[in-house]
């Protein structure tokens, strides 16, 4: 497997600029879209033209669009019918524009991915690129008084779904259990030696730091995947050797509110990128290996409470040498 640079320069332009002219109307309403250049960088690094790329939680189809523009074939699974429809339209548009590859979207629960993807494609996927949801709500978009004619700032497009069975609504532990099952399903459809790229980031919930990257790393191991790289995908641009931050209105507000409460929060300027590979030959992760029983792992989020001192590290947190690279607010 090729080795990528540990820091991905994936935000030379803003997210809207990266999507302009490549996505159908209505796509901007999804509150947690993957940055297109992150998907494109992963696809260009770990696949070749003609390879098959899968996103089991594809949203509006960012992974599919970028794969098709790079001459790959693409598969997507999306639970919400609204987003699945948009993903399908985006994939169809990208396929027509690029003139190469095919893109298919299936609407359903990724925990049953092997039922949704045709059996003929099992063992044929070269790369999985995906990201788990970050809780039930995200920043979304804002509209000012000038736009609405009403006083104050109005927040919109800040929920994945109102369906209570959507994984965005469950607890963090339940999400990680489900994500482990999804990664296990992905392992079944990946070719031997295939690659999985997961982008994620930590967040704070009622003062606690939810260390989702370390928990996803554990989930990948529990699914029988082999961790190979941990990279940083920038959400900030670079100019004259300096990071050019592009925080949203709500990111800035949340950071300022947290600092008033004594929480040392900073604007997030990168995504953690966790890269896994599948074993070179197909094995069942639930079966004994080398004569030894395989234990079923329980994955939990590592957290750090607000009562802890600034810059503390939880005893369970993995990868202490991977210091959080946040751009500090001035």
């Amino acid at each position: 497997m090729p080795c990528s640079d540990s820091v991905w320069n994936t935000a030379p332009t803003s997210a809207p600029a990266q999507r302009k002219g490549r996505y159908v109307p209505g796509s901007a309403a999804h509150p947690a879209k993957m940055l297109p250049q992150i998907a494109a960088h992963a696809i260009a690094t770990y696949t070749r033209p003609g390879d098959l790329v899968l996103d089991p939680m594809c949203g509006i189809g960012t992974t599919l669009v970028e794969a098709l523009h790079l001459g790959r074939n693409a598969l997507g699974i999306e639970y919400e019918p609204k987003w699945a429809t948009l993903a399908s339209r985006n994939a169809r548009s990208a396929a027509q524009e690029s003139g190469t590859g095919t893109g298919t979207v299936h609407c359903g629960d990724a925990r049953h991915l092997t039922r949704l993807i045709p059996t003929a494609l099992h063992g044929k996927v070269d790369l999985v690129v995906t990201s788990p949801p970050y809780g039930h709500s995200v920043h979304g978009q804002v509209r000012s008084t000038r736009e609405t004619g009403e006083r104050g700032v109005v927040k919109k497009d800040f929920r994945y779904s109102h369906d209570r069975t959507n994984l965005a609504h469950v607890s963090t532990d339940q999400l990680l259990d489900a994500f482990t099952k999804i990664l296990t399903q992905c392992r079944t459809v990946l070719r031997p030696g295939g690659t999985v790229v997961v982008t994620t980031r930590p967040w704070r919930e009622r003062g606690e730091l939810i260390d989702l990257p370390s928990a996803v790393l554990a989930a990948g191991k529990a699914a029988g995947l082999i961790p190979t790289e941990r990279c940083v995908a920038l959400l900030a641009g670079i100019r004259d050797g300096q990071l050019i931050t592009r925080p949203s209105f709500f990111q800035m507000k949340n950071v300022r509110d947290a600092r008033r409460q004594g929480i040392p929060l900073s604007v997030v300027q990168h995504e953690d990128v966790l890269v896994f590979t599948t074993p070179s030959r197909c094995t069942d992760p639930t079966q004994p290996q080398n004569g030894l029983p395989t234990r079923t792992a329980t994955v939990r989020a590592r957290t750090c409470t607000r009562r802890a001192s600034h810059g503390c590290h939880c005893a369970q947190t993995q990868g202490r040498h991977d210091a959080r690279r946040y751009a500090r607010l001035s």
Side-chain angles (χ1 to χ4, degrees), residues 7-13 234-246:
V7 177
W8 298 3
N9 183 13
T10 44
T13 58
L234 292 179
L235 303 175
I238 301 176
R239 187 181 303 157
D240 298 327
Q242 300 294 318
L243 288 180
I244 307 302
T245 62
R246 300 189 181 98

Side-chain angles (χ1 to χ4, degrees), residues 7-15 18 35 37-38 201 232-248 251 267-272 325-329:
V7 177
W8 298 3
N9 183 13
T10 44
T13 58
S14 67
Q18 292 184 24
L35 192 65
Q37 278 298 313
I38 293 181
R201 69 175 77 162
V232 163
L234 292 179
L235 303 175
I238 301 176
R239 187 181 303 157
D240 298 327
Q242 300 294 318
L243 288 180
I244 307 302
T245 62
R246 300 189 181 98
S248 69
Q251 284 177 310
V267 174
V268 176
Q269 292 302 318
H270 79 279
E271 292 268 2
D272 283 65
R325 291 163 283 256
Y326 296 144
R328 299 293 178 183
L329 288 174

Side-chain angles (χ1 to χ4, degrees), residues 142-155 249:
V142 296
R143 299 179 69 190
S144 65
T145 301
R146 184 175 57 186
E147 296 172 291
T148 64
E150 301 175 3
R151 293 187 61 184
V153 174
V154 178
K155 191 174 182 179
F249 170 86

Side-chain angles (χ1 to χ4, degrees), residues 109-131:
D109 190 331
R111 285 173 289 187
H112 309 301
L113 184 149
T114 53
R115 301 181 198 170
L116 297 169
I117 293 179
T119 306
L121 295 179
H122 290 192
K124 304 294 185 183
V125 173
D126 296 283
L127 172 68
V128 170
V129 180
T130 197
S131 181

Side-chain angles (χ1 to χ4, degrees), residues 27 29-34 53-64 74-91 103-117 129-134 159-163 165-169 179 182 186:
S27 298
H30 193 286
K33 301 174 289 295
M34 183 181 291
V53 180
L54 164 69
D55 189 340
M57 306 175 81
C58 74
I60 62 166
T62 299
T63 297
L64 282 69
L75 277 172
I77 307 295
E78 172 53 40
Y79 181 78
E80 293 291 336
K82 173 184 177 180
W83 305 129
T85 298
L86 271 171
S88 183
R89 291 173 57 200
N90 278 321
T104 306
V105 178
H106 299 276
C107 187
D109 190 331
R111 285 173 289 187
H112 309 301
L113 184 149
T114 53
R115 301 181 198 170
L116 297 169
I117 293 179
V129 180
T130 197
S131 181
Y134 304 142
R159 290 192 181 275
Y160 295 96
S161 163
H162 292 285
D163 183 344
T165 61
N166 187 300
L167 291 181
H169 290 287
F179 196 60
I182 291 170
C186 287

Side-chain angles (χ1 to χ4, degrees), residues 1-24:
M1 184 188 74
C3 182
S4 70
D5 293 332
S6 61
V7 177
W8 298 3
N9 183 13
T10 44
T13 58
S14 67
Q18 292 184 24
R19 297 188 185 100
K20 187 176 181 179
R22 293 166 74 92
Y23 292 80
V24 302

